[in-house]
């Protein structure tokens, strides 16, 4: 890929364009013209450059279901595949989606670490391990940029929790910062050459990241050779001069930012030089050239060189089933393992009960900026109903749900938004499939933010159940809610007292009243909002929503129905889940329990004696105190739009669950080695150093998690037969290569993820201290490589895994450099960090 500055005539075109710009235009180019785009300059052949959120889909510039997007499984699910090449294919699909929507740069991937299980946004990041994160992130970035679309690897750096994310200063030792939090960024910069990096909200060691000269100009650019642009997280840029000198190129969103006119003024009065400004503009123009919006420069990837068309539905389904992690699979009643179900086959399952509100109303993605709007979602109920043979008796029971809160109007609603001026004139209309108005610097045709006064969500609702339906609102301003001619609320909703401005603007769900409705009988609904315009809000935005909850039935009655359904079936599948009020951008979790009465539901179904399979739909760890009481536990993460189809593939045995845990799952929150996410007086101290995740668990005696990092079962068995280490040559990037031979000892074809861990070295007797003379406490072992193999029954396969030099290095805080630690290490191959089958000695020597 020709993506370096200077290739394809980029440097010449950039310098020519830069030379034609005056000071004010250069400063304006570094400031968003609206929520998602940068200004065009026709005089130099520069078209507007468009950015979009994109971890699991490309939303585009419209935050609405009227412009649907393919919804892939969550980033944590992608990491659970342990397959960088699959991540690359996902990236290529997203590039295809981006081009379709006129998007040039994706605001992804998120490569912050799962430092604590309480992180509210972990579903959008990959793993607790920096090596796995870097490998999956490299695949993703390479795939997106294969398609000629840019990426912004985020959030640089240590944005590992949401609490006080705009203001927190994370205090991190230099060694932990290098070995853990910077490591995935370094790997991706060196191996995938991303075209962008996003600077985080938080501070690190006293400096907010958008102004962090040491990390942005020093480490990222000077040390690693990053040649792309740095963009702020949205509203993260605080200071004009410190931002530019610190390395921040673009301040988003616009038009009101610390760049633009303020930056031109800073140059004129000598607080920054025009040469410093030119460097930032040069990087921005280079990005424009790479994505093909600067005349005179060939794009980094010519249209003819882009990957061919990709079937988004098929890839979403493949990633989902490859990500499912089978934690437990026990037999019952004389049978072997309960999964796969072999439904309808001779001797197989003849009756199946599916239980749980989360099986009918599937949550397939996380909350916050990662949200996209797919044109369809296959729920577990839909997927199993379609896949089961007709001679299998199938029943469904709600049992219990993950929430009793109101949710955005969706099922049964037909709505549109009507925008009026203060004098009542209709300025424009928009279809509103999801019940929520979320317009941020992007309004229906004919509507300007300055002129709009009210927005009315109006249409019909056709209930699928009779009874007392609850309605509510979310958002700010003067609100009037009417259902079937009944005024349920009329008044003003004020901003909540919360620290996150995005959460404050959107508000929390508020119940407003109930109306008795009849199933199948449509009624008129409307929610009118007199738009609030808080002075402190920097965005031109209108955000509010109509909320709904179906009639509530007696909880005990629902649980009894679930027990009855399970008792009458040969196997029960219970689907449990978290909600966007549990896992979302903007806040961290307070506990790891499943919401509602879902834990009780699992226990009562399991108590029937019917073999019970529990499908856990969550983006990060939840407590499962019942895990030993059920036959099987399957993690589905947030599995994207094809959730139910992929689940049916795996449960019924058409496909194997291919996932392995990217994060260690504790038994209980109080057992987790690291749980602090709440700052004290604005500071959050990472006092655990390099010991997070499995590294911390292995350090503790007499304590083990529920499930270790790397764990995951399949539908066949594997024997690890042989392992060899071949040393590398000289001072290369690899210590050598490990080859592992495995045999499929089961009765069906399968896929195995061979994981390679490197232990601390045996002391060499040189008197310099434990660990070969490093004098530092080190994790017992660390993930150093992995590879996937496939084999049929009885067949063998070999995994060849390079062993990186970095696995035997530490960051020397005294010398501010990487230092190779000599000694005899052990390379261990196995199925998880706790299930290691083979080992080989790895002698490491320093050279004079």
């Amino acid at each position: 890929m020709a993506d370096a500055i200077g290739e394809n005539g980029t440097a010449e075109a950039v310098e020519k364009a830069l030379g034609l710009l005056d000071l004010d235009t250069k400063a304006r180019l570094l400031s968003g013209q609206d929520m998602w785009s940068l200004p065009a300059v026709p005089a130099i052949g520069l078209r507007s450059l468009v950015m979009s959120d994109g971890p699991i889909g490309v939303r585009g510039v419209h935050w609405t279901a009227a412009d649907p997007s393919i919804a892939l499984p969550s980033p944590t699910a992608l990491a659970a595949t342990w397959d960088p090449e699959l991540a690359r294919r996902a990236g290529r699909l997203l590039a295809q989606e981006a081009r379709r929507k006129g998007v040039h740069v994706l605001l992804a991937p998120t490569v912050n670490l799962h430092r604590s299980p309480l992180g509210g946004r972990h579903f959008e990041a990959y793993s607790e391990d920096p090596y796995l994160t870097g490998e999956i992130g490299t695949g993703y970035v390479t795939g997106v940029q294969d398609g000629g679309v840019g990426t912004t690897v985020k959030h640089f750096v240590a944005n590992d929790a949401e609490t006080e994310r705009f203001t927190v200063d994370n205090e991190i030792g230099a060694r932990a910062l290098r070995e853990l939090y910077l490591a995935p960024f370094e790997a991706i910069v060196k191996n995938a050459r991303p075209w962008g990096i996003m600077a985080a909200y938080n501070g690190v060691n006293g400096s907010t990241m958008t102004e962090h000269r040491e990390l942005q100009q020093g480490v990222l650019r000077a040390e690693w050779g990053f040649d792309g642009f740095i963009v702020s997280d949205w509203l993260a840029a605080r200071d004009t001069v410190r931002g530019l000198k610190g390395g921040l190129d673009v301040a988003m969103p616009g038009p009101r930012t610390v760049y633009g006119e303020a930056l031109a003024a800073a140059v004129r009065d000598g607080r920054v030089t025009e040469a410093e400004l030119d460097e930032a503009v040069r990087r921005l123009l280079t990005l424009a050239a790479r994505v093909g919006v600067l005349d005179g420069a060939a794009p980094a990837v010519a249209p003819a060189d882009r990957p061919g068309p990709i079937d988004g539905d098929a890839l979403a389904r493949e990633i989902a089933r490859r990500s499912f992690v089978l934690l437990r699979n026990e037999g019952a009643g004389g049978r072997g393992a309960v999964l796969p179900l072999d439904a309808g086959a001779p001797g197989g399952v003849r009756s199946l009960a599916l239980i749980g509100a989360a099986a009918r109303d599937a949550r397939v993605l996380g909350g916050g900026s990662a949200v996209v709007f797919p044109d369809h979602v296959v729920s577990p109920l839909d997927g199993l109903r379609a896949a089961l043979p007709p001679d299998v008796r199938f029943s469904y029971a709600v049992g219990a749900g993950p929430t009793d809160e109101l949710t955005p109007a969706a099922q049964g609603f037909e709505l549109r938004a009507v925008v009026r001026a203060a004098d009542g004139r209709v300025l424009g209309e928009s279809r509103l499939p999801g019940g929520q108005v979320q317009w941020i610097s992007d309004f229906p045709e004919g509507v300007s933010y300055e002129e709009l006064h009210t927005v009315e969500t109006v249409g019909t609702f056709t209930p699928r159940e009779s009874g007392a339906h609850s309605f509510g609102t979310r958002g700010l301003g003067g609100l009037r809610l009417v259902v079937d001619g009944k005024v349920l609320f009329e008044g003003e909703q004020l901003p909540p007292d919360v620290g996150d401005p995005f959460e404050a603007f959107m508000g929390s769900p508020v119940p407003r009243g109930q109306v008795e409705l009849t199933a199948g009988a449509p009624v008129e609904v409307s929610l009118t909002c007199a738009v609030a315009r808080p002075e402190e809000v920097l965005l031109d935005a209108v955000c509010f929503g109509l909320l709904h909850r179906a009639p509530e039935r007696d909880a005990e009655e629902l649980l009894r129905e679930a027990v009855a359904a399970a008792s009458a079936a040969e196997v029960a599948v219970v689907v449990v889940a978290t909600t966007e009020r549990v896992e979302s951008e903007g806040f961290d979790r307070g506990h790891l329990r499943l919401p509602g009465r879902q834990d009780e539901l699992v226990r009562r179904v399991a108590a029937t004696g019917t073999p019970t399979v529990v499908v856990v739909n969550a983006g990060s760890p939840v407590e499962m105190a019942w895990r030993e009481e059920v036959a099987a536990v399957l993690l589905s993460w947030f599995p994207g739009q094809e959730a139910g189809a992929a689940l049916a593939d795996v449960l019924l045995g058409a496909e194997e669950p291919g996932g392995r845990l990217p994060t260690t799952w504790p038994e209980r929150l109080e057992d987790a080695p690291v749980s602090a996410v709440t700052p004290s007086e604005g500071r959050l101290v990472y006092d655990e150093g390099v010991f997070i995740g499995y590294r911390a668990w292995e350090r503790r005696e007499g304590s083990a998690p529920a499930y270790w990092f790397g764990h995951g079962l399949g539908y066949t068995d594997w024997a690890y037969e042989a392992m060899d280490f071949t040393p590398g040559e000289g001072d290369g990037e690899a210590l050598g290569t490990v080859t592992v031979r495995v045999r499929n000892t089961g009765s069906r074809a399968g896929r195995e993820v061979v994981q390679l861990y490197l232990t601390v070295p045996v002391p060499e007797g040189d008197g310099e201290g434990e660990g070969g003379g490093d004098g530092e406490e080190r994790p017992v072992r660390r993930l150093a490589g992995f590879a996937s193999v496939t084999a049929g029954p009885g067949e063998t396969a070999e995994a060849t895994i390079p062993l990186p030099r970095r696995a035997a290095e530490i960051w020397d805080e005294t010398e501010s450099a990487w230092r190779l630690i000599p000694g005899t290490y052990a390379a261990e191959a196995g199925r998880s960090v706790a299930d290691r089958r083979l080992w080989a000695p790895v002698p490491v020597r320093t050279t004079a």
Side-chain angles (χ1 to χ4, degrees), residues 302-466:
D305 295 332
R306 295 169 184 164
I310 299 172
D311 185 329
D313 293 353
L315 185 57
R317 185 170 179 169
E318 179 184 353
I319 294 172
R321 66 188 183 227
R322 290 274 303 279
S323 74
F324 292 166
V325 178
L326 185 59
L327 296 179
R328 176 179 172 84
N329 191 19
E330 302 294 327
R335 298 179 67 229
V338 67
L339 294 178
L341 295 177
D342 294 327
V349 173
R350 311 297 299 182
S351 61
L352 176 68
L354 179 64
I355 298 167
R360 181 188 64 187
D361 301 312
R363 186 186 185 200
V364 300
L365 42 78
S369 61
V371 167
V372 296
F373 304 95
D375 63 5
H376 70 275
V377 169
V378 182
S379 70
L381 179 58
D382 296 334
L384 277 170
R385 183 176 280 155
L388 282 170
D391 59 343
V392 173
R393 182 166 53 83
F394 179 59
S395 64
Y396 170 72
V398 173
T403 182
D404 57 2
E405 289 188 332
L406 289 87
T407 57
Q411 176 72 36
F413 287 86
E414 293 288 337
L415 303 169
R416 69 185 191 280
V418 180
V419 185
R420 289 187 171 84
D423 60 7
R425 287 180 296 112
V426 174
L427 301 176
E429 294 190 8
S430 175
R431 192 171 73 88
L432 202 64
Q436 296 196 97
V437 171
Q438 290 179 295
W439 300 332
I440 307 177
S441 302
D442 175 57
F443 302 97
E445 185 177 353
V447 175
S448 69
Y449 182 72
E450 293 73 20
E451 193 175 11
L452 69 82
H453 180 262
T454 62
V455 180
E456 182 183 15
T457 298
V458 61
T460 62
F461 170 53
T462 305
R464 60 185 178 187
E465 301 169 70
S466 297

Side-chain angles (χ1 to χ4, degrees), residues 130-503:
Y131 181 81
L132 177 59
T133 296
E135 290 294 294
I136 299 298
T138 293
Y140 180 102
V141 168
T142 303
V144 173
Q145 294 183 176
D146 282 347
V149 175
T151 56
T152 58
V153 187
K154 63 184 187 182
H155 306 84
F156 191 74
V157 61
N159 185 178
D160 310 302
E162 295 295 283
T163 304
E164 299 180 24
R165 61 178 175 157
F166 284 84
T167 57
V168 64
D169 181 39
N170 294 325
E171 294 190 6
I172 311 172
R175 185 175 165 216
L177 186 61
R178 287 285 187 155
E179 294 185 19
L180 295 180
Y181 304 102
L182 286 171
F185 290 94
E186 180 183 8
I188 294 168
V189 166
K190 292 183 176 180
N191 298 326
R193 301 181 67 186
W195 300 344
I197 296 284
M198 181 185 289
Y201 292 121
N202 57 280
V204 171
N205 297 335
S207 173
T208 187
M209 278 310 306
T210 54
E211 303 165 9
H212 210 304
R213 185 175 180 85
E214 177 186 355
L215 291 180
Q216 295 186 146
Q217 298 284 52
V219 174
L220 184 57
R221 289 196 167 113
E223 184 180 330
W224 297 347
F226 172 65
D227 66 358
F229 88 124
I230 299 176
V231 61
S232 72
D233 204 341
W234 266 225
L235 302 178
R238 277 93 161 174
D239 185 271
T240 304
V241 175
R242 291 197 300 269
L244 192 73
K245 288 182 176 292
L248 182 70
D249 297 317
V250 174
M252 290 295 290
R256 296 183 290 278
T257 79
V258 298
Y259 280 3
E261 293 179 2
L263 183 52
V267 174
R268 289 191 172 97
D269 63 22
R271 288 177 291 148
V272 296
T273 68
E274 190 161 1
E276 290 172 313
L277 171 63
D278 285 351
E279 279 299 304
V281 175
R282 186 174 285 113
R283 288 188 285 263
L284 186 278
L285 291 174
T286 300
L287 173 68
R290 286 170 166 167
V291 301
V293 296
L294 179 65
D295 290 347
V301 182
D305 295 332
R306 295 169 184 164
I310 299 172
D311 185 329
D313 293 353
L315 185 57
R317 185 170 179 169
E318 179 184 353
I319 294 172
R321 66 188 183 227
R322 290 274 303 279
S323 74
F324 292 166
V325 178
L326 185 59
L327 296 179
R328 176 179 172 84
N329 191 19
E330 302 294 327
R335 298 179 67 229
V338 67
L339 294 178
L341 295 177
D342 294 327
V349 173
R350 311 297 299 182
S351 61
L352 176 68
L354 179 64
I355 298 167
R360 181 188 64 187
D361 301 312
R363 186 186 185 200
V364 300
L365 42 78
S369 61
V371 167
V372 296
F373 304 95
D375 63 5
H376 70 275
V377 169
V378 182
S379 70
L381 179 58
D382 296 334
L384 277 170
R385 183 176 280 155
L388 282 170
D391 59 343
V392 173
R393 182 166 53 83
F394 179 59
S395 64
Y396 170 72
V398 173
T403 182
D404 57 2
E405 289 188 332
L406 289 87
T407 57
Q411 176 72 36
F413 287 86
E414 293 288 337
L415 303 169
R416 69 185 191 280
V418 180
V419 185
R420 289 187 171 84
D423 60 7
R425 287 180 296 112
V426 174
L427 301 176
E429 294 190 8
S430 175
R431 192 171 73 88
L432 202 64
Q436 296 196 97
V437 171
Q438 290 179 295
W439 300 332
I440 307 177
S441 302
D442 175 57
F443 302 97
E445 185 177 353
V447 175
S448 69
Y449 182 72
E450 293 73 20
E451 193 175 11
L452 69 82
H453 180 262
T454 62
V455 180
E456 182 183 15
T457 298
V458 61
T460 62
F461 170 53
T462 305
R464 60 185 178 187
E465 301 169 70
S466 297
H469 287 253
S470 300
F471 294 85
T473 62
R474 186 178 186 183
L476 308 180
L479 302 173
R480 187 172 191 268
L481 174 62
V482 183
V483 178
D484 197 21
K486 180 180 179 180
V487 178
L488 298 184
F489 177 75
E490 189 164 14
E492 186 175 9
Q493 180 66 44
L494 300 175
D497 184 18
V498 295
D500 192 302
F502 286 106
E503 186 182 0

Side-chain angles (χ1 to χ4, degrees), residues 415-717:
L415 303 169
R416 69 185 191 280
V418 180
V419 185
R420 289 187 171 84
D423 60 7
R425 287 180 296 112
V426 174
L427 301 176
E429 294 190 8
S430 175
R431 192 171 73 88
L432 202 64
Q436 296 196 97
V437 171
Q438 290 179 295
W439 300 332
I440 307 177
S441 302
D442 175 57
F443 302 97
E445 185 177 353
V447 175
S448 69
Y449 182 72
E450 293 73 20
E451 193 175 11
L452 69 82
H453 180 262
T454 62
V455 180
E456 182 183 15
T457 298
V458 61
T460 62
F461 170 53
T462 305
R464 60 185 178 187
E465 301 169 70
S466 297
H469 287 253
S470 300
F471 294 85
T473 62
R474 186 178 186 183
L476 308 180
L479 302 173
R480 187 172 191 268
L481 174 62
V482 183
V483 178
D484 197 21
K486 180 180 179 180
V487 178
L488 298 184
F489 177 75
E490 189 164 14
E492 186 175 9
Q493 180 66 44
L494 300 175
D497 184 18
V498 295
D500 192 302
F502 286 106
E503 186 182 0
F505 197 78
M506 285 301 300
S508 300
V510 181
R512 300 300 188 185
Q514 293 185 327
V515 179
E516 286 285 340
L517 301 176
T518 302
V523 297
E524 293 185 354
V525 296
S526 72
L527 172 60
T528 303
C529 176
V531 175
R533 300 173 187 266
E535 292 183 4
E536 66 275 13
V537 174
L538 299 177
L539 303 174
D540 295 342
V542 178
C543 298
F544 71 98
L546 171 64
L547 308 178
H548 168 259
R549 185 179 65 230
E552 293 185 86
R553 293 180 56 199
D554 179 74
E556 280 297 323
E557 181 183 355
L558 291 174
L559 288 168
R560 286 195 298 270
E561 288 181 359
V563 167
S567 299
E570 293 180 51
V571 173
V573 176
V574 181
V575 182
V576 296
T578 61
T579 72
E580 68 173 11
R581 304 291 292 170
V582 175
E583 292 186 86
S584 180
E585 179 179 354
F587 54 86
D588 290 310
R589 302 160 74 185
H591 58 78
L592 300 183
R593 298 184 300 276
L594 286 168
R597 298 178 69 173
Q598 295 180 105
D599 286 316
E600 181 182 358
L601 171 65
V602 171
R603 283 204 151 114
R604 289 174 68 164
V605 169
T608 64
T610 299
T612 301
V613 177
V614 183
V615 179
V616 180
N617 188 15
S620 51
V622 297
E623 293 176 359
M624 300 180 293
W626 36 258
R627 65 191 180 92
E628 301 291 344
E629 303 169 29
V630 300
V633 180
L634 181 72
L635 305 184
S636 66
W637 313 107
F638 297 140
Q641 66 182 47
E642 303 299 321
L647 182 62
D649 288 341
V650 167
L651 292 181
L652 303 183
E655 300 287 345
E656 186 179 36
R660 305 293 185 267
L661 281 180
T663 294
T664 305
W665 279 46
E667 184 82 48
R668 303 172 304 166
L669 173 60
E670 50 265 38
D671 298 332
V674 180
S675 59
V677 294
T678 302
S680 175
E681 298 181 348
R683 297 164 53 245
L684 183 62
V685 181
Y686 285 37
D687 55 10
E688 70 280 353
V690 296
F691 294 94
I692 66 170
Y694 66 86
R695 303 165 187 238
W697 282 100
E698 288 199 313
R699 187 190 193 193
R700 301 164 64 175
E701 295 183 3
S703 177
Y707 298 103
W708 284 96
F709 175 82
H711 174 67
L713 307 174
Y715 289 160
T716 189
D717 295 316

